[in-house]
Amino acid sequence: MDSQHCKMNGDAFQESSYIEDSPSKNGVISLIFSLKEEVGALAKVLRTFEEKGINLTHIESRPSRLNKDEYEFFINLEGKNVPALDKIIKSLRTDIGATVHELSRTKKKDTVPWFPRSIQELDRFANQILSYGAELDADHPGFKDPVYRARRKEFADIAYNYRHGQPIPRVTYTEEEKKTWGTVFRELKSLYPTHACYEHNHVFPLLEKYCGYREDNIPQLEDVSNFLQSCTGFRLRPVAGLLSSRDFLAGLAFRVFHSTQYIRHASKPMYTPEPDICHELLGHVPLFADPSFAQFSQEIGLASLGAPDDFIEKLATVYWFTVEFGLCKEGDSLKAYGAGLLSSFGELQYCLSDKPEIRPLALEKTSVQEYCVTEFQPIYYVAESFKDAKEKLRKFAQTIPRPFSVRYNPYTQRIEVLDNAKQLKNLADTINSEIGILCNALQKIK
């Protein structure tokens, strides 16, 4: 792609345009690499491929948006000689100083699965759902209710047409829907003072004050999302159905939570076989407004980027036993912080009884623990604190086999891949600046 076309697109041009929607053509591997703008730089790279007998089938270029003195190149090449390709990639990084990323959405050996690099790229998989919102299983309470099924399709269509940066469409909930919400809201709120963790109980009154959390009102996702952004930078995004674990966790890396907007069937207000707006707003949202928990959730997402499939499964299991069904210590007591508990009247009481087995959070064991999705959990894991959980997660993330580290830049809302000296120097400069601010502040409060 030439620079003229890039200029025509301006700032709206996204790096995702470099990634083909179907990059899994037989024997084709895609790379992105950046080079300093100097005479002979590209020729040197192309000569390296030629000497190793690797054929390029496609090449595009554009000025780098991150470094003004660099150009970025996207290439497709034949993947017949993988050992030679590995040597070339290593040479590009060490000898030439190029930043290289291998792109793949397939399960090819020794390749890194595709992951979003900018928050706009969440649009690419937001509708790659495992089940559409209007498709209900035969045992779903609303399966035989045509009115409910039609209503579910309305919510699914809203999410399906949503794009990043747009306000989340407001919904006029019916009286029956508000009555269902009211029943759930009233019953759960009566348990929160004695069963929910401090962080949840601290935030809940703020949601009542600023987001319309009331027994007779279902809050709007847009209002709640704006509130979360002002607290921790988290935001909500409507989703039409269940996402894969990889895609859902990738959203957390950007502090984006994919949220349903529909509500459970009125015939069983205290039961839902799937996440609904009661689960999202009463279970998840209060904790996403807490800085420490928000960081923990984001780090699960960051750990998932580019991770192999088996580690995605482990991270999803960690998410299940923490963000969904986690317990934590508060003094000599146990409290619930998992959204699956905080949105279930029955399980919130059960989890703090003497019936389930309670184990300390140990991610090497927690990540491989089997769990049930249709009944109360027989086992719960207890975190000493969110800080302790974060430290354990960071150690666990270091065991994930990927050839780079990642960092989220909140100013550009992009994922920075830390795989070369220049990236590490930029990070060190940022950290040094923050430490300077910290030292200056400490001097002033002495």
Side-chain angles (χ1 to χ4, degrees), residues 14-31:
Q14 301 173 13
E15 188 172 26
S16 61
S17 298
Y18 270 154
I19 306 174
E20 296 181 336
D21 289 332
S22 301
S24 56
K25 299 176 182 177
N26 292 334
V28 175
I29 295 177
S30 300
L31 298 177

Side-chain angles (χ1 to χ4, degrees), residues 269-385:
M270 302 311 293
Y271 168 77
T272 176
E274 63 201 331
D276 73 333
I277 198 166
C278 296
H279 172 76
E280 320 288 35
L281 297 188
L282 299 175
H284 281 293
V285 163
L287 271 298
F288 283 138
D290 176 75
S292 186
F293 182 84
Q295 187 176 2
F296 171 74
S297 300
Q298 183 181 29
E299 293 203 15
I300 294 180
L302 289 170
S304 77
L305 300 180
D309 288 346
D310 57 332
F311 274 86
I312 291 295
E313 184 176 350
K314 291 180 179 180
L315 287 168
T317 302
V318 169
Y319 178 90
W320 179 269
F321 282 112
T322 55
V323 179
E324 288 291 353
F325 291 94
L327 299 177
C328 61
K329 288 185 178 180
E330 283 189 7
D332 297 328
S333 303
L334 293 182
K335 300 292 183 179
Y337 71 88
L341 302 175
L342 294 167
S343 60
S344 170
F345 183 78
E347 192 161 6
L348 184 53
Q349 296 175 84
Y350 165 83
C351 71
L352 298 180
S353 70
D354 58 0
K355 296 178 181 180
E357 180 182 350
I358 306 299
R359 298 178 183 177
L361 185 65
L363 297 191
E364 66 279 2
K365 296 180 180 179
T366 306
S367 63
V368 295
Q369 176 64 47
E370 295 183 357
Y371 56 87
C372 180
V373 299
T374 58
E375 300 175 356
F376 291 172
Q377 301 302 307
I379 300 171
Y380 297 100
Y381 288 89
V382 179
E384 295 290 329
S385 64

Side-chain angles (χ1 to χ4, degrees), residues 308 311 314 364 393-402:
F311 274 86
K314 291 180 179 180
E364 66 279 2
L393 178 63
R394 288 167 182 166
K395 291 180 180 178
F396 181 76
Q398 291 174 2
T399 67
I400 298 176
R402 58 183 181 184

Side-chain angles (χ1 to χ4, degrees), residues 8 18 79 125 209 237 261 285 347 356 411 413 436:
M8 289 171 62
Y18 270 154
F125 61 71
K209 181 177 181 180
R237 177 184 178 122
Q261 206 168 9
V285 163
E347 192 161 6
Y411 304 110
Q413 297 182 323

Side-chain angles (χ1 to χ4, degrees), residues 374-426:
T374 58
E375 300 175 356
F376 291 172
Q377 301 302 307
I379 300 171
Y380 297 100
Y381 288 89
V382 179
E384 295 290 329
S385 64
F386 293 146
K387 179 181 179 181
D388 176 65
K390 280 188 293 185
E391 291 174 353
K392 289 179 177 177
L393 178 63
R394 288 167 182 166
K395 291 180 180 178
F396 181 76
Q398 291 174 2
T399 67
I400 298 176
R402 58 183 181 184
F404 52 81
S405 295
V406 295
R407 171 180 177 267
Y408 178 65
N409 187 325
Y411 304 110
T412 61
Q413 297 182 323
R414 295 179 61 87
I415 298 296
E416 296 177 353
V417 176
L418 307 175
D419 64 351
N420 61 69
K422 185 173 183 179
Q423 289 280 2
L424 297 181
K425 182 181 182 302
N426 290 341

Side-chain angles (χ1 to χ4, degrees), residues 109-290:
K109 184 179 180 181
D110 299 328
T111 59
V112 175
W114 179 91
F115 60 88
R117 295 285 299 278
S118 69
I119 196 169
Q120 291 84 0
E121 288 184 355
L122 298 184
D123 288 343
R124 297 198 57 190
F125 61 71
N127 293 324
Q128 294 179 5
I129 52 179
L130 304 179
S131 65
Y132 198 63
E135 298 171 357
L136 306 181
D137 293 333
D139 60 350
H140 192 287
F143 180 74
K144 296 182 179 180
D145 185 343
V147 175
Y148 182 76
R149 292 172 68 95
R151 183 66 165 158
R152 286 288 295 267
K153 187 178 184 304
E154 291 178 26
F155 287 109
D157 289 343
I158 289 174
Y160 193 82
N161 291 302
Y162 179 81
R163 296 296 179 270
H164 172 74
Q166 298 174 348
I168 302 174
R170 294 180 178 273
V171 173
T172 301
Y173 289 97
T174 67
E175 289 303 314
E176 183 178 64
E177 289 169 337
K178 287 189 284 188
K179 182 179 178 181
T180 300
W181 162 272
T183 299
V184 178
F185 183 92
R186 180 176 61 255
E187 297 295 333
L188 285 172
K189 187 179 177 182
S190 70
L191 290 180
Y192 288 156
T194 53
H195 290 65
C197 65
Y198 166 81
E199 290 80 3
H200 185 280
N201 287 328
H202 174 71
V203 171
F204 202 83
L206 300 177
L207 293 168
E208 291 179 306
K209 181 177 181 180
Y210 296 109
C211 298
Y213 273 52
R214 299 193 310 272
E215 186 176 328
D216 62 349
N217 177 68
I218 302 177
Q220 298 292 331
L221 291 191
E222 176 69 9
D223 296 337
V224 177
S225 184
N226 290 335
F227 173 80
L228 288 179
Q229 288 182 60
S230 69
C231 294
T232 61
F234 248 93
R235 68 184 72 203
L236 303 180
R237 177 184 178 122
V239 66
L242 294 175
L243 292 170
S244 70
S245 294
R246 183 181 294 279
D247 290 343
F248 178 80
L249 294 177
L252 296 179
F254 295 86
R255 299 205 172 199
V256 172
F257 180 73
H258 289 82
S259 172
T260 56
Q261 206 168 9
Y262 56 80
I263 196 165
R264 61 195 66 184
H265 194 261
S267 64
K268 292 186 176 181
M270 302 311 293
Y271 168 77
T272 176
E274 63 201 331
D276 73 333
I277 198 166
C278 296
H279 172 76
E280 320 288 35
L281 297 188
L282 299 175
H284 281 293
V285 163
L287 271 298
F288 283 138
D290 176 75

